[in-house]
Amino acid sequence: MADRTSIKTAKRTDMAVELLKEEPRARSRSGVKKTEVVVDSRLSKRLNRPKGRYVTLECAAPLFARREKYKPLIDDMASVIRSLSEGCESFLAVGVGNPLLTADALGARTVSLLKTNRGLSPHCRHFELSAFAPGVSGVTGIESVDVVKSITSLVKPDCVLVIDSLASAAVSRLGTAFQLCDSGLVPGSGVGGGAGALSASSLKVKRVVSIGVPLVVYAETIIRESVGAEVAVSENVRDLLVTPKDIDLLMGECAHIIAEAVNAALGL
């Protein structure tokens, strides 16, 4: 779970769109709202975010498990994945996070649903996909970044797809917003860990595309949203993470959507 706090905004969120003073113009079609933020060098310093393209797709359908309503969202996500990974033919999907914690199991659940085809006859495929979930150092004793680097050096993909749970500064975005970006990810930073970034330069690949869904919100965020930004929040409450009561169902639906989008993007 990758949480970063912006010094400028004091918002505890992984969503780039929530760090801007004014939300950029969005495009809405077939129940899907699409917003794109391009973070350049100047904006990177102001938002405390790596440079890159951050695309947010929002849709309420996952809240109600209305799978018949997912197609526009899956199609849009597949299109964004193809755009962010342009020029790549081999892919490695990495589901980071702790599979033993429901709100943090998005990555592991998603990779289990992917249609991997590495090792099959080259005549049966155009794009190649392999996938794995490294777990977390608290369980394995090995930093997930080190595991990903080792597997990547062995598989040698053009693009690494990193899938993880995120934190949001808005309760309304829990389970309904999907952020895709080409700037990489720092696994474990949301719980005070994180030994390094998963980026194109650190993994020595053409591209790293991260895909995430906010499934937690800080209690501090809810309090400030309800009472006011200036209210004092005690230290023991400040770092509490809150998830929806139906997190099992919601996480499963989000994993299904991401897996279907990746499969569609690669023609699997």
Side-chain angles (χ1 to χ4, degrees):
M1 196 175 297
D3 161 65
R4 304 181 188 89
T5 304
S6 170
I7 298 174
K8 298 293 184 181
T9 62
K11 284 186 178 180
R12 308 185 75 183
T13 178
D14 291 305
M15 307 297 291
V17 71
E18 294 176 347
L19 295 173
L20 301 176
K21 291 182 179 179
E22 294 184 5
E23 192 166 307
R25 182 176 298 178
R27 183 218 72 186
S28 296
R29 184 179 66 183
S30 301
V32 180
K33 177 183 175 183
K34 179 181 179 181
T35 309
E36 181 167 347
V37 177
V38 178
V39 177
D40 57 16
S41 299
R42 178 185 58 82
L43 202 54
S44 176
K45 293 179 180 179
R46 184 163 70 85
L47 300 183
N48 193 29
R49 287 294 190 279
K51 293 188 295 182
R53 292 173 58 196
Y54 295 76
V55 180
T56 303
L57 302 174
E58 297 181 60
C59 178
L63 291 176
F64 311 102
R66 298 286 301 276
R67 293 199 173 189
E68 71 276 9
K69 301 286 187 181
Y70 290 173
K71 190 176 187 307
L73 175 59
I74 291 171
D75 288 346
D76 278 359
M77 194 179 303
S79 177
V80 174
I81 292 171
R82 285 192 291 267
S83 175
L84 296 179
S85 62
E86 186 176 3
C88 298
E89 293 188 1
S90 58
F91 294 77
L92 171 64
V94 179
V96 298
N98 189 345
L100 301 178
L101 299 176
T102 305
D104 202 22
L106 178 69
R109 178 71 67 87
T110 300
V111 299
S112 72
L113 300 174
L114 294 174
K115 298 177 181 178
T116 56
N117 65 348
R118 185 173 184 268
L120 297 181
S121 168
H123 301 293
C124 300
R125 57 179 169 80
H126 176 58
F127 294 107
E128 178 183 277
L129 176 65
S130 52
F132 82 107
V136 293
S137 60
V139 176
T140 66
I142 308 171
E143 289 290 347
S144 57
V145 171
D146 295 332
V147 180
V148 176
K149 286 182 178 179
S150 297
I151 298 295
T152 301
S153 66
L154 175 66
V155 176
K156 294 181 172 56
D158 295 328
C159 177
V160 175
L161 303 173
V162 185
I163 304 155
D164 195 10
S165 303
L166 306 177
S168 176
V171 175
S172 62
R173 284 195 166 97
L174 294 181
T176 67
F178 297 75
Q179 178 175 270
L180 299 92
C181 70
D182 58 4
S183 61
L185 188 77
V186 181
S189 60
V191 290
L198 297 176
S199 63
S201 59
S202 69
L203 296 179
K204 297 180 175 58
V205 295
K206 287 183 179 179
R207 298 178 186 271
V208 171
V209 176
S210 67
I211 308 171
V213 183
L215 293 173
V216 299
V217 62
Y218 281 90
E220 176 189 26
T221 298
I222 298 176
I223 294 171
R224 295 188 188 281
E225 196 175 68
S226 303
V227 182
E230 305 303 321
V231 66
V233 180
S234 62
E235 191 65 30
N236 63 329
V237 173
R238 186 175 185 272
D239 291 329
L240 287 178
L241 289 169
V242 180
T243 67
K245 63 179 181 180
D246 56 349
I247 184 61
D248 298 77
L249 174 62
L250 190 56
M251 185 275 295
E253 293 304 300
C254 291
H256 166 79
I257 290 168
I258 296 173
E260 287 296 303
V262 171
N263 290 334
L266 305 186
L268 301 175

